């Protein structure tokens, strides 16, 4: 793509708060490369779940920009991450998306590493060769109650510990370690990753676009802030939330809102929200989609715990299943959205759950969201595109995403 050079610092400095970003943030190759280096290269990135690597020797690979990464469970059951780059002449060591192995054997010349990344074997290297100088390079990994985050920076943001400490009690009751991935669906959106994230951070578009998702959602949840003519509806909703939170918290389910989306480097938000009608799950009939629950919940109507992170994930935890999303940029106008549905690992497909029923709401919603993101991308290419104002009632969390992004880039790029 040939484009005139842009002055990114100037674009950041003149950014108008409360407005969407200028076009180059969505379609320039240069901004994309900066995003990969500064945002995806220096923050904690959500990449998968413990059940991606359920047994010792199980691995998964993922590509973050130019960097191939390997995630593996070692013989002591510790999950580790490495650069998937052989210390001989740089081949990728694991070439499949997923697999299981006793040792890591490079396909090129069979250098062989153990699951802790130590080089065990390298033929024809001579007497002076010291294998201990050629370990696989480690990548920082944190397991947050079963959600796996990696950080490619040498010194990852330390405030991630606040996220870990806050979120562990919220997520732990949903028992991720005791789940399996019922299914994973990858979609590629022809749009910039920030449009995907911004779209995720508001439900202004839900009524007009998501007939399946809105069956279980209350209109006043998901980022809705009171305006004068809706005060009564909001008041009633807030009353109900207060009541439900008291009930759920008395059963050991933390529920209160925590929001540091744009106030910390490792920004996040969480809240357990009531679901409408039966109140059990984000399904077409709002009842559980899996008969075997994730834990011994006395009543499956525990709504949905939502968890959003900067820069690339969101998650919904219910009594019967978990839906988890990671966003990986592939190019200025190409983004991978990876969705996993987790159920109790003892649940039997066709007996306890049906994949179509389990995935119906979010499959439909993802495809509607893809359309919205792709249309925004097309519009942002026009010379007539101008940053437009966010709704102060329904797009406050979008604004927090773009605040976070602009602040992080401004700070990291310096003067
Ligand atoms: S590049 Fe891996 S063994 Fe040669
Ligand atoms: Fe949506």
């Amino acid at each position: 793509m040939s484009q005139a050079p842009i002055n990114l610092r100037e674009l950041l400095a003149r950014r108008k708060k409360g407005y969407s970003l200028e076009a180059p943030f969505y379609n320039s190759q240069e901004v994309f490369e900066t995003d990969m280096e500064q945002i995806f290269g220096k923050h904690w990135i959500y990449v998968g779940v413990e059940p991606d690597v359920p047994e010792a020797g199980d691995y998964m690979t993922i590509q973050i920009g130019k960097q191939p990464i390997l995630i593996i469970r070692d013989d002591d059951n510790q999950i580790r991450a490495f650069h998937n780059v052989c210390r001989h002449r740089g081949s990728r060591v694991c070439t499949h998306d997923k697999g299981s192995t006793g040792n890591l054997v490079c396909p090129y010349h069979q250098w062989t590493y153990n699951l802790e990344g130590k080089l065990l074997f390298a033929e024809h290297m001579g007497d002076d060769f010291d294998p201990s100088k050629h370990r696989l390079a480690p990548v920082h990994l944190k397991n947050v109650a079963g959600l796996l985050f990696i950080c490619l920076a040498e010194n990852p943001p330390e405030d991630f510990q606040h996220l870990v400490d806050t979120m562990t009690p919220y997520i732990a009751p949903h028992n991720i370690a005791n789940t399996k991935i019922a299914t994973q669906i990858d979609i590629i959106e022809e749009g910039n990753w920030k449009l995907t994230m911004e779209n995720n951070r508001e439900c202004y578009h839900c009524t007009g676009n998501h007939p399946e998702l809105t069956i279980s959602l209350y209109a006043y949840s998901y980022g809705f802030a009171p305006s004068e003519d809706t005060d009564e509806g909001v008041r009633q909703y807030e009353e109900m939330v207060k009541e439900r939170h008291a009930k759920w918290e008395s059963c050991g389910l933390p529920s209160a809102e925590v929001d540091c989306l744009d106030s910390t480097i490792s920004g996040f938000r969480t809240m357990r929200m009531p679901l409408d009608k039966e109140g059990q799950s984000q399904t077409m009939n709002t009842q559980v989609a899996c008969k075997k629950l994730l834990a011994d919940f006395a009543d499956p109507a525990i709504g949905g715990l939502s968890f959003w992170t900067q820069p690339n994930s969101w998650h919904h935890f219910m009594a019967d299943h978990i839906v988890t999303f990671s966003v990986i940029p592939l190019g200025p106008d190409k983004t991978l959205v990876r969705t996993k549905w987790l159920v109790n690992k003892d649940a039997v497909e066709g007996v306890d759950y049906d994949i179509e029923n389990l995935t119906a709401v979010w499959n439909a919603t993802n495809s509607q969201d893809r359309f919205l993101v792709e249309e925004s991308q097309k519009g942002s290419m026009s010379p007539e595109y101008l940053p437009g104002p966010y709704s102060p009632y329904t797009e406050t969390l979008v604004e927090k995403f773009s605040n976070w992004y602009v602040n992080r880039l401004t700070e990291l790029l310096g003067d």
Side-chain angles (χ1 to χ4, degrees):
M1 205 183 292
S2 81
Q3 285 172 329
I6 55 162
N7 187 333
L8 186 49
R9 282 182 185 82
E10 196 183 299
L11 277 179
L12 287 166
R14 71 167 190 234
R15 180 248 178 169
K16 208 165 154 187
K17 268 192 106 178
Y19 281 72
S20 61
L21 300 172
E22 291 195 49
F25 285 108
Y26 301 120
N27 52 39
S28 122
Q29 178 69 25
E30 196 181 324
V31 173
F32 170 73
E33 282 166 19
T34 305
D35 284 354
M36 294 320 291
E37 198 179 311
Q38 303 294 345
I39 301 292
F40 281 80
K42 294 189 177 165
H43 297 87
W44 287 96
I45 303 302
Y46 170 67
V47 289
V49 289
E50 239 189 276
D52 274 306
V53 287
E55 309 279 342
D58 289 349
Y59 69 82
M60 63 174 276
T61 60
I62 187 160
Q63 183 79 21
I64 313 278
K66 293 176 182 149
Q67 309 209 47
I69 307 297
L70 166 67
I71 291 162
I72 190 153
R73 187 185 285 261
D74 73 17
D75 290 324
D76 295 326
N77 267 315
Q78 192 187 330
I79 302 174
R80 295 170 179 269
F82 297 102
H83 290 276
N84 188 13
V85 180
C86 183
R87 292 307 217 175
H88 179 218
R89 278 166 51 209
S91 165
R92 284 199 307 160
V93 177
C94 293
T95 53
H96 300 292
D97 291 345
K98 276 195 172 178
S100 189
T101 185
N103 284 316
L104 299 162
V105 183
C106 178
Y108 204 166
H109 315 92
Q110 287 74 52
W111 279 30
T112 301
Y113 306 84
N114 72 9
L115 305 184
E116 285 89 54
K118 186 174 156 200
L119 180 60
L120 299 177
F121 174 78
E123 214 178 9
H124 307 309
M125 294 307 295
D127 294 341
D128 292 344
F129 179 73
D130 179 358
S132 71
K133 297 213 160 64
H134 303 274
R135 295 180 68 98
L136 285 181
V139 169
H140 298 283
L141 180 141
K142 290 259 193 204
N143 183 346
V144 186
L147 302 179
L148 307 179
F149 290 80
I150 61 166
C151 183
L152 295 165
E154 207 177 308
N155 299 308
E158 286 175 6
D159 66 3
F160 193 72
Q161 196 54 44
H162 173 57
L163 179 153
V164 177
D165 295 342
T166 308
M167 288 312 301
T168 300
Y170 277 79
I171 300 170
H174 298 268
N175 246 334
I176 295 180
N178 196 48
T179 63
K180 63 178 175 182
I181 300 172
T183 190
Q184 170 181 309
I185 298 178
D186 288 352
I187 60 172
I188 308 251
E189 295 182 349
E190 303 287 331
N192 185 269
W193 69 276
K194 294 187 286 296
L195 291 175
T196 305
M197 294 307 297
E198 288 168 6
N199 176 65
N200 166 256
R201 297 294 145 95
E202 48 96 355
C203 228
Y204 192 178
H205 70 273
C206 289
T207 312
N209 291 279
H210 293 322
E212 298 83 2
L213 182 64
T214 48
I215 294 171
S216 65
L217 297 192
Y218 282 103
Y220 299 118
S221 59
Y222 291 88
F224 200 92
S227 66
E228 275 178 30
D229 47 17
T230 55
D231 264 353
E232 184 52 23
V234 171
R235 200 194 54 75
Q236 282 174 8
Y237 175 72
E238 283 174 352
E239 251 331 282
M240 176 180 63
V241 169
K242 221 161 105 191
E243 227 170 79
R244 303 268 168 101
H245 277 188
K247 184 173 156 200
W248 296 333
E249 297 211 342
S250 73
C251 307
L253 296 170
S255 303
E257 180 185 9
V258 179
D259 181 349
C260 36
L261 280 170
D262 63 353
S263 56
T264 58
I265 296 175
S266 305
F268 70 98
R269 176 172 183 260
T270 193
M271 185 175 171
R272 198 178 298 274
M273 284 184 282
L275 294 172
D276 205 353
K277 306 186 178 72
E278 302 292 325
Q280 298 177 358
S281 211
Q282 291 173 353
T283 53
M284 300 292 274
N285 63 8
T286 71
Q287 292 171 356
V288 289
C290 182
K291 278 189 246 164
K292 214 169 242 58
L293 302 184
L294 298 174
D296 198 10
F297 300 116
D299 176 359
I302 56 169
L305 168 68
S306 291
F307 172 42
W308 298 267
T309 72
Q310 315 289 34
N312 85 318
S313 77
W314 62 93
H315 319 256
H316 303 296
F317 303 79
M318 289 148 286
D320 67 320
H321 78 279
I322 298 164
V323 204
T324 173
F325 306 76
S326 73
V327 169
I328 306 290
L330 303 175
D333 53 5
K334 205 179 274 279
T335 301
L336 168 67
V337 178
R338 174 164 287 175
T339 309
K340 298 176 208 265
W341 286 260
L342 314 184
V343 295
N344 188 312
K345 71 170 164 19
D346 298 325
V348 179
E349 187 183 341
V351 176
D352 296 307
Y353 67 98
D354 170 75
I355 291 280
E356 209 164 308
N357 182 42
L358 179 72
T359 58
V361 165
W362 277 105
N363 247 345
T365 305
N366 276 349
S367 130
Q368 292 145 1
D369 282 329
R370 176 196 355 212
F371 169 79
L372 302 172
V373 166
E374 292 181 350
E375 290 306 312
S376 299
Q377 183 71 28
K378 284 178 189 150
S380 81
M381 304 299 285
S382 162
E384 270 306 303
Y385 167 81
L386 283 175
Y390 295 136
S391 154
Y393 302 126
T394 66
E395 290 176 309
T396 49
L397 304 181
V398 188
E399 187 172 352
K400 287 186 182 190
F401 171 79
S402 47
N403 286 347
W404 178 88
Y405 169 80
V406 168
N407 291 342
R408 293 310 304 138
L409 268 196
T410 304
E411 191 178 320
L412 288 163
L413 294 177
D415 297 324

